[in-house]
Amino acid sequence: KKRKMDTSSREQERNEEHDEEEEEEEEEATTNEATTTNNETIIPQNDPNKNKKCKGNPSGITRLFLGNLPFSVDEDSLETFLQPAALTHIKWITDKETGKFYGSAFVEMRNSKDAAIVVVDKNGTNLMDRPIKANYAPSRPGDVWPPKSKVWTAGKQRSAGGSGVKAMSPKPEGCTKLFIGNLSYDIDDEGITKFFGNVDAEIKAVRWISHKDTGDFKGVGFVEFWNTEACEKAATLNGKTLLGRPIRIDWDASNVN
């Protein structure tokens, strides 16, 4: 897809793009005591059978990366979607500064067999009309995983997901740049230009955000306008449908002096 309008430097992109793996070091130590959820005993992390090698998971990995998640996903909907596999921990990936949900998460599965079910059977299947991506993601040496809490948010401590239109943060004075999220993978420069053109908001630049390692589009980006008036007009489209998805919009203050 044509996602090529980009007037920002690589250094600026690296500063704004969230590095999920670096935030692993911020988590607290987890206990190895068994817990229960939905009346089912969760295998403790040090159980010898938890990481047993199995078909589809020859390394016995139980930590997964889930991508392209819908912005309305929450713990209950994700757990239901992954059944019959069971997860024990969720780490929602959000922007470190703004707390905006990136549409991705790390999860710890009950055991290696459940992890294999997700990677083999759930990868590419639709959750709320979005084909999710599921890959094995073993933690690095020295990382503390899983987190102490069952549900943990990387970045600001807040819940990911939920339903309805997200309220925008207070508008910074002179702001000319917006964060846009929950985008279709079919979005491109032409599509986003026409979308904001519906309210006479002329775009100056667009930057699409991709995963650092894979290059996969994250479903989010930043749009800059020629003046703050155009930016305000564009913001009125928060929650409006674009290519079948309610677009998420918020102010971005990174270019405000």
Side-chain angles (χ1 to χ4, degrees):
K1 297 294 184 294
K2 297 179 181 179
R3 288 186 289 270
K4 59 184 179 180
M5 188 186 296
D6 189 346
T7 61
S8 302
S9 66
R10 283 295 299 168
E11 181 179 359
Q12 186 177 16
E13 180 175 346
R14 286 194 297 270
N15 289 336
E16 291 187 8
E17 181 172 342
H18 178 72
D19 188 342
E20 297 95 341
E21 289 298 325
E22 288 182 355
E23 289 198 350
E24 293 293 318
E25 299 173 358
E26 298 179 6
E27 298 177 355
E28 297 179 354
T30 182
T31 62
N32 285 323
E33 299 177 359
T35 58
T36 60
T37 180
N38 297 327
N39 299 320
E40 185 172 18
T41 299
I42 293 175
I43 301 173
Q45 185 71 9
N46 59 356
D47 189 287
N49 294 318
K50 178 179 175 66
N51 298 99
K52 187 176 181 180
K53 298 177 181 180
C54 63
K55 184 178 180 180
N57 191 356
S59 298
I61 298 168
T62 55
R63 181 177 181 267
L64 305 178
F65 172 79
L66 303 180
N68 199 32
L69 297 172
F71 277 70
S72 57
V73 71
D74 56 19
E75 178 187 352
D76 291 338
S77 59
L78 184 60
E79 286 186 330
T80 300
F81 173 75
L82 296 180
Q83 290 177 357
L87 58 81
T88 63
H89 296 80
I90 306 171
K91 176 186 173 184
W92 304 113
I93 304 301
T94 62
D95 185 90
K96 193 172 184 179
E97 299 298 328
T98 67
K100 296 183 178 70
F101 180 44
Y102 269 146
S104 56
F106 288 102
V107 297
E108 178 69 14
M109 303 306 298
R110 176 175 53 184
N111 53 44
S112 55
K113 289 184 178 179
D114 281 1
I117 289 173
V118 175
V119 173
V120 175
D121 297 336
K122 301 293 185 177
N123 183 42
T125 60
N126 285 350
L127 172 59
M128 302 178 190
D129 297 323
R130 295 193 78 160
I132 74 158
K133 296 188 177 184
N135 299 304
Y136 293 115
S139 56
R140 301 172 300 181
D143 286 346
V144 177
W145 180 265
K148 187 173 182 178
S149 300
K150 180 182 177 183
V151 180
W152 197 87
T153 303
K156 291 189 176 180
Q157 299 301 304
R158 52 171 296 210
S159 297
S163 58
V165 177
K166 301 288 183 180
M168 296 180 65
S169 58
K171 178 182 180 292
E173 185 176 356
C175 183
T176 59
K177 193 174 182 181
L178 295 176
F179 165 86
I180 53 175
N182 199 32
L183 300 172
S184 167
Y185 271 33
D186 293 326
I187 191 63
D188 56 18
D189 292 351
E190 182 180 0
I192 199 68
T193 300
K194 289 182 177 179
F195 179 72
F196 286 118
N198 290 325
V199 290
D200 295 324
E202 185 178 356
I203 290 176
K204 179 180 180 181
V206 177
R207 185 165 66 83
W208 308 109
I209 303 301
S210 301
H211 284 284
K212 181 179 179 181
D213 296 329
T214 66
D216 292 337
F217 179 47
K218 285 186 174 183
V220 301
F222 292 90
V223 181
E224 185 176 2
F225 299 87
W226 289 101
N227 51 57
T228 187
E229 290 78 14
C231 192
E232 289 177 352
K233 291 179 181 179
T236 63
L237 296 177
N238 182 35
K240 301 299 182 182
T241 301
L242 173 60
L243 297 179
R245 301 191 183 285
I247 187 172
R248 184 182 175 194
I249 297 175
D250 206 351
W251 311 105
D252 180 75
S254 62
N255 66 333
V256 178
N257 295 327

